[in-house]
Amino acid sequence: MHTMLYINDDIAGFDFDAALPLLSEQRRQQALSFKHEQGRKTCAAAYLLLREGLRREYGITEAPLFEYGEYGKPHLVGYPDIHFSLSHCREAVLCVISNLPVGADIESIRPYNESLVRYTMNEKEQQQILQSVRPDVEFIRLWTQKEAVCKLSGKGINNQMTTVLKGSESFKTVVNLEQGYVYSVIYSCQSQYVPHHSSSKDRQ
């Protein structure tokens, strides 16, 4: 049992027009619905990472279709035992594929925002952020972990973000200062983490 992680952090060089024929009609319409080029690129790039992972690990060559749970979590049509999580930010897109439920989030490192920290972090987490060498990075690290948990459950971000982390979760968190992003993956302790592809040098 293992988990595969794929990253593309060359969004500027991503050729959206060349990617269009490789998207399912479902994903093509979703990508084209974005007003800005950045959104179209990241939507398409994340899907292509999923296609790459499904081909490498499962020999699936057809364009995957999604069905959605009660809270909007996507699942693969016809493959109930294959789990995945997609995420994107300005700098990169992330795809994690596993034979067990998984949640992942990637975020840009942004300037420190005190009001946002107070709204989303509990007192212990706030202290942890303030005492860190890079409060901006520490906030994003914790935020990606919280959002990964929400995506694992399928319920998404809610108004109780201060209580999301219980302290017993098993995360893979990577901070890439050079590229300006952080990502976290939460996966079952029965699953062996295997990073299959990355286009940059990540640092944990």
mmCIF file of all heavy atoms in Angstrom, residues 170-198:
data_model
loop_
_atom_site.group_PDB
_atom_site.id
_atom_site.type_symbol
_atom_site.label_atom_id
_atom_site.label_comp_id
_atom_site.label_asym_id
_atom_site.label_seq_id
_atom_site.Cartn_x
_atom_site.Cartn_y
_atom_site.Cartn_z
ATOM 1 N N SER A 170 -1.073 12.114 10.909
ATOM 2 C CA SER A 170 0.220 11.814 10.288
ATOM 3 C C SER A 170 0.317 12.597 8.988
ATOM 4 O O SER A 170 -0.433 12.334 8.049
ATOM 5 C CB SER A 170 0.332 10.311 10.017
ATOM 6 O OG SER A 170 1.541 10.011 9.347
ATOM 7 N N PHE A 171 1.227 13.583 8.950
ATOM 8 C CA PHE A 171 1.361 14.449 7.789
ATOM 9 C C PHE A 171 2.713 14.286 7.106
ATOM 10 O O PHE A 171 3.715 13.956 7.749
ATOM 11 C CB PHE A 171 1.259 15.933 8.189
ATOM 12 C CG PHE A 171 -0.104 16.383 8.612
ATOM 13 C CD1 PHE A 171 -0.390 16.550 9.950
ATOM 14 C CD2 PHE A 171 -1.089 16.642 7.674
ATOM 15 C CE1 PHE A 171 -1.640 16.976 10.355
ATOM 16 C CE2 PHE A 171 -2.345 17.065 8.061
ATOM 17 C CZ PHE A 171 -2.619 17.233 9.407
ATOM 18 N N LYS A 172 2.724 14.549 5.820
ATOM 19 C CA LYS A 172 3.947 14.833 5.081
ATOM 20 C C LYS A 172 3.830 16.303 4.692
ATOM 21 O O LYS A 172 2.943 16.677 3.926
ATOM 22 C CB LYS A 172 4.052 13.955 3.832
ATOM 23 C CG LYS A 172 5.151 14.378 2.850
ATOM 24 C CD LYS A 172 6.535 14.071 3.373
ATOM 25 C CE LYS A 172 7.597 14.383 2.318
ATOM 26 N NZ LYS A 172 8.943 14.016 2.784
ATOM 27 N N THR A 173 4.685 17.151 5.252
ATOM 28 C CA THR A 173 4.648 18.582 4.950
ATOM 29 C C THR A 173 5.993 19.012 4.392
ATOM 30 O O THR A 173 7.041 18.678 4.949
ATOM 31 C CB THR A 173 4.322 19.415 6.207
ATOM 32 O OG1 THR A 173 3.019 19.056 6.677
ATOM 33 C CG2 THR A 173 4.324 20.904 5.884
ATOM 34 N N VAL A 174 5.960 19.723 3.279
ATOM 35 C CA VAL A 174 7.174 20.206 2.621
ATOM 36 C C VAL A 174 7.083 21.717 2.439
ATOM 37 O O VAL A 174 6.066 22.233 1.971
ATOM 38 C CB VAL A 174 7.374 19.517 1.254
ATOM 39 C CG1 VAL A 174 8.462 20.211 0.436
ATOM 40 C CG2 VAL A 174 7.724 18.048 1.455
ATOM 41 N N VAL A 175 8.150 22.406 2.821
ATOM 42 C CA VAL A 175 8.275 23.854 2.621
ATOM 43 C C VAL A 175 9.304 24.088 1.520
ATOM 44 O O VAL A 175 10.453 23.666 1.644
ATOM 45 C CB VAL A 175 8.724 24.556 3.916
ATOM 46 C CG1 VAL A 175 8.969 26.045 3.653
ATOM 47 C CG2 VAL A 175 7.693 24.363 5.018
ATOM 48 N N ASN A 176 8.889 24.732 0.459
ATOM 49 C CA ASN A 176 9.803 25.053 -0.634
ATOM 50 C C ASN A 176 9.962 26.567 -0.680
ATOM 51 O O ASN A 176 9.159 27.269 -1.309
ATOM 52 C CB ASN A 176 9.263 24.518 -1.962
ATOM 53 C CG ASN A 176 10.278 24.635 -3.090
ATOM 54 O OD1 ASN A 176 10.939 25.653 -3.234
ATOM 55 N ND2 ASN A 176 10.389 23.599 -3.904
ATOM 56 N N LEU A 177 10.973 27.071 0.011
ATOM 57 C CA LEU A 177 11.186 28.508 0.085
ATOM 58 C C LEU A 177 11.621 29.084 -1.260
ATOM 59 O O LEU A 177 11.276 30.217 -1.601
ATOM 60 C CB LEU A 177 12.234 28.828 1.152
ATOM 61 C CG LEU A 177 11.848 28.507 2.598
ATOM 62 C CD1 LEU A 177 13.018 28.807 3.527
ATOM 63 C CD2 LEU A 177 10.613 29.291 3.023
ATOM 64 N N GLU A 178 12.376 28.312 -2.011
ATOM 65 C CA GLU A 178 12.868 28.780 -3.302
ATOM 66 C C GLU A 178 11.727 29.071 -4.267
ATOM 67 O O GLU A 178 11.721 30.086 -4.964
ATOM 68 C CB GLU A 178 13.813 27.739 -3.912
ATOM 69 C CG GLU A 178 14.423 28.167 -5.232
ATOM 70 C CD GLU A 178 15.352 27.104 -5.802
ATOM 71 O OE1 GLU A 178 15.595 26.100 -5.112
ATOM 72 O OE2 GLU A 178 15.832 27.287 -6.929
ATOM 73 N N GLN A 179 10.740 28.179 -4.295
ATOM 74 C CA GLN A 179 9.614 28.345 -5.203
ATOM 75 C C GLN A 179 8.449 29.095 -4.568
ATOM 76 O O GLN A 179 7.522 29.514 -5.251
ATOM 77 C CB GLN A 179 9.129 26.979 -5.692
ATOM 78 C CG GLN A 179 10.149 26.211 -6.520
ATOM 79 C CD GLN A 179 10.413 26.871 -7.860
ATOM 80 O OE1 GLN A 179 11.448 27.483 -8.051
ATOM 81 N NE2 GLN A 179 9.460 26.779 -8.772
ATOM 82 N N GLY A 180 8.476 29.212 -3.233
ATOM 83 C CA GLY A 180 7.469 30.018 -2.552
ATOM 84 C C GLY A 180 6.164 29.314 -2.253
ATOM 85 O O GLY A 180 5.103 29.944 -2.276
ATOM 86 N N TYR A 181 6.214 28.011 -1.937
ATOM 87 C CA TYR A 181 4.981 27.314 -1.585
ATOM 88 C C TYR A 181 5.231 26.278 -0.498
ATOM 89 O O TYR A 181 6.372 25.896 -0.203
ATOM 90 C CB TYR A 181 4.335 26.660 -2.806
ATOM 91 C CG TYR A 181 5.172 25.590 -3.493
ATOM 92 C CD1 TYR A 181 5.296 24.308 -2.965
ATOM 93 C CD2 TYR A 181 5.825 25.859 -4.693
ATOM 94 C CE1 TYR A 181 6.046 23.327 -3.600
ATOM 95 C CE2 TYR A 181 6.581 24.885 -5.343
ATOM 96 C CZ TYR A 181 6.681 23.622 -4.792
ATOM 97 O OH TYR A 181 7.429 22.658 -5.420
ATOM 98 N N VAL A 182 4.125 25.833 0.097
ATOM 99 C CA VAL A 182 4.139 24.788 1.117
ATOM 100 C C VAL A 182 3.035 23.804 0.769
ATOM 101 O O VAL A 182 1.958 24.212 0.320
ATOM 102 C CB VAL A 182 3.867 25.365 2.522
ATOM 103 C CG1 VAL A 182 3.859 24.251 3.572
ATOM 104 C CG2 VAL A 182 4.885 26.435 2.885
ATOM 105 N N TYR A 183 3.299 22.511 0.954
ATOM 106 C CA TYR A 183 2.208 21.550 0.796
ATOM 107 C C TYR A 183 2.205 20.533 1.926
ATOM 108 O O TYR A 183 3.244 20.248 2.538
ATOM 109 C CB TYR A 183 2.232 20.853 -0.567
ATOM 110 C CG TYR A 183 3.369 19.883 -0.817
ATOM 111 C CD1 TYR A 183 3.353 18.592 -0.295
ATOM 112 C CD2 TYR A 183 4.444 20.243 -1.629
ATOM 113 C CE1 TYR A 183 4.375 17.691 -0.550
ATOM 114 C CE2 TYR A 183 5.474 19.357 -1.901
ATOM 115 C CZ TYR A 183 5.427 18.080 -1.362
ATOM 116 O OH TYR A 183 6.442 17.187 -1.620
ATOM 117 N N SER A 184 1.012 20.040 2.216
ATOM 118 C CA SER A 184 0.837 18.993 3.224
ATOM 119 C C SER A 184 -0.054 17.900 2.674
ATOM 120 O O SER A 184 -1.005 18.171 1.935
ATOM 121 C CB SER A 184 0.211 19.559 4.506
ATOM 122 O OG SER A 184 1.114 20.386 5.207
ATOM 123 N N VAL A 185 0.267 16.675 3.049
ATOM 124 C CA VAL A 185 -0.517 15.509 2.670
ATOM 125 C C VAL A 185 -0.818 14.716 3.928
ATOM 126 O O VAL A 185 0.069 14.487 4.749
ATOM 127 C CB VAL A 185 0.254 14.609 1.674
ATOM 128 C CG1 VAL A 185 -0.598 13.401 1.268
ATOM 129 C CG2 VAL A 185 0.692 15.401 0.454
ATOM 130 N N ILE A 186 -2.064 14.336 4.097
ATOM 131 C CA ILE A 186 -2.431 13.452 5.201
ATOM 132 C C ILE A 186 -2.909 12.146 4.598
ATOM 133 O O ILE A 186 -3.707 12.132 3.658
ATOM 134 C CB ILE A 186 -3.503 14.065 6.120
ATOM 135 C CG1 ILE A 186 -3.791 13.105 7.282
ATOM 136 C CG2 ILE A 186 -4.755 14.465 5.369
ATOM 137 C CD1 ILE A 186 -4.658 13.716 8.367
ATOM 138 N N TYR A 187 -2.358 11.056 5.116
ATOM 139 C CA TYR A 187 -2.668 9.751 4.551
ATOM 140 C C TYR A 187 -2.661 8.724 5.667
ATOM 141 O O TYR A 187 -2.132 8.979 6.754
ATOM 142 C CB TYR A 187 -1.663 9.372 3.464
ATOM 143 C CG TYR A 187 -0.219 9.546 3.871
ATOM 144 C CD1 TYR A 187 0.522 8.474 4.365
ATOM 145 C CD2 TYR A 187 0.407 10.787 3.782
ATOM 146 C CE1 TYR A 187 1.838 8.630 4.750
ATOM 147 C CE2 TYR A 187 1.730 10.942 4.166
ATOM 148 C CZ TYR A 187 2.432 9.871 4.645
ATOM 149 O OH TYR A 187 3.733 10.041 5.038
ATOM 150 N N SER A 188 -3.245 7.595 5.423
ATOM 151 C CA SER A 188 -3.325 6.564 6.437
ATOM 152 C C SER A 188 -1.943 6.114 6.866
ATOM 153 O O SER A 188 -1.019 6.015 6.058
ATOM 154 C CB SER A 188 -4.106 5.366 5.908
ATOM 155 O OG SER A 188 -3.979 4.265 6.784
ATOM 156 N N CYS A 189 -1.797 5.806 8.151
ATOM 157 C CA CYS A 189 -0.505 5.320 8.654
ATOM 158 C C CYS A 189 -0.164 3.969 8.045
ATOM 159 O O CYS A 189 0.978 3.521 8.124
ATOM 160 C CB CYS A 189 -0.529 5.218 10.180
ATOM 161 S SG CYS A 189 -1.787 4.084 10.825
ATOM 162 N N GLN A 190 -1.152 3.303 7.407
ATOM 163 C CA GLN A 190 -0.883 2.026 6.751
ATOM 164 C C GLN A 190 -0.275 2.227 5.368
ATOM 165 O O GLN A 190 0.143 1.290 4.713
ATOM 166 C CB GLN A 190 -2.183 1.238 6.592
ATOM 167 C CG GLN A 190 -2.893 0.956 7.895
ATOM 168 C CD GLN A 190 -4.241 0.323 7.638
ATOM 169 O OE1 GLN A 190 -4.415 -0.436 6.691
ATOM 170 N NE2 GLN A 190 -5.202 0.615 8.477
ATOM 171 N N SER A 191 -0.237 3.494 4.932
ATOM 172 C CA SER A 191 0.197 3.766 3.573
ATOM 173 C C SER A 191 1.645 4.241 3.552
ATOM 174 O O SER A 191 2.059 5.046 4.370
ATOM 175 C CB SER A 191 -0.709 4.851 2.961
ATOM 176 O OG SER A 191 -0.277 5.196 1.679
ATOM 177 N N GLN A 192 2.413 3.728 2.625
ATOM 178 C CA GLN A 192 3.808 4.122 2.474
ATOM 179 C C GLN A 192 3.907 5.281 1.498
ATOM 180 O O GLN A 192 3.495 5.204 0.357
ATOM 181 C CB GLN A 192 4.646 2.950 1.949
ATOM 182 C CG GLN A 192 6.112 3.308 1.740
ATOM 183 C CD GLN A 192 6.876 2.180 1.074
ATOM 184 O OE1 GLN A 192 6.327 1.133 0.800
ATOM 185 N NE2 GLN A 192 8.151 2.411 0.815
ATOM 186 N N TYR A 193 4.468 6.408 1.976
ATOM 187 C CA TYR A 193 4.572 7.608 1.138
ATOM 188 C C TYR A 193 5.678 7.431 0.102
ATOM 189 O O TYR A 193 6.812 7.112 0.431
ATOM 190 C CB TYR A 193 4.882 8.813 2.022
ATOM 191 C CG TYR A 193 5.218 10.058 1.260
ATOM 192 C CD1 TYR A 193 4.219 10.853 0.719
ATOM 193 C CD2 TYR A 193 6.543 10.448 1.079
ATOM 194 C CE1 TYR A 193 4.528 11.998 0.016
ATOM 195 C CE2 TYR A 193 6.857 11.591 0.379
ATOM 196 C CZ TYR A 193 5.846 12.365 -0.142
ATOM 197 O OH TYR A 193 6.158 13.506 -0.843
ATOM 198 N N VAL A 194 5.341 7.619 -1.173
ATOM 199 C CA VAL A 194 6.314 7.495 -2.255
ATOM 200 C C VAL A 194 6.235 8.726 -3.151
ATOM 201 O O VAL A 194 5.288 8.888 -3.907
ATOM 202 C CB VAL A 194 6.050 6.231 -3.109
ATOM 203 C CG1 VAL A 194 7.097 6.105 -4.205
ATOM 204 C CG2 VAL A 194 6.047 4.983 -2.242
ATOM 205 N N PRO A 195 7.222 9.657 -3.069
ATOM 206 C CA PRO A 195 7.203 10.815 -3.972
ATOM 207 C C PRO A 195 7.697 10.401 -5.356
ATOM 208 O O PRO A 195 8.872 10.121 -5.554
ATOM 209 C CB PRO A 195 8.179 11.786 -3.295
ATOM 210 C CG PRO A 195 9.124 10.916 -2.533
ATOM 211 C CD PRO A 195 8.351 9.684 -2.134
ATOM 212 N N HIS A 196 6.805 10.359 -6.332
ATOM 213 C CA HIS A 196 7.153 9.845 -7.645
ATOM 214 C C HIS A 196 7.665 10.911 -8.611
ATOM 215 O O HIS A 196 8.324 10.595 -9.565
ATOM 216 C CB HIS A 196 5.933 9.158 -8.275
ATOM 217 C CG HIS A 196 5.880 7.698 -7.968
ATOM 218 N ND1 HIS A 196 5.783 6.748 -8.930
ATOM 219 C CD2 HIS A 196 5.937 7.051 -6.803
ATOM 220 C CE1 HIS A 196 5.765 5.559 -8.376
ATOM 221 N NE2 HIS A 196 5.837 5.718 -7.089
ATOM 222 N N HIS A 197 7.287 12.158 -8.396
ATOM 223 C CA HIS A 197 7.708 13.157 -9.372
ATOM 224 C C HIS A 197 7.712 14.523 -8.736
ATOM 225 O O HIS A 197 6.774 14.901 -8.054
ATOM 226 C CB HIS A 197 6.766 13.180 -10.573
ATOM 227 C CG HIS A 197 7.015 14.352 -11.507
ATOM 228 N ND1 HIS A 197 8.086 14.390 -12.350
ATOM 229 C CD2 HIS A 197 6.349 15.500 -11.672
ATOM 230 C CE1 HIS A 197 8.050 15.527 -13.030
ATOM 231 N NE2 HIS A 197 7.011 16.215 -12.637
ATOM 232 N N SER A 198 8.771 15.268 -8.940
ATOM 233 C CA SER A 198 8.796 16.648 -8.516
ATOM 234 C C SER A 198 9.720 17.397 -9.442
ATOM 235 O O SER A 198 10.778 16.911 -9.813
ATOM 236 C CB SER A 198 9.317 16.775 -7.073
ATOM 237 O OG SER A 198 9.436 18.132 -6.703
#
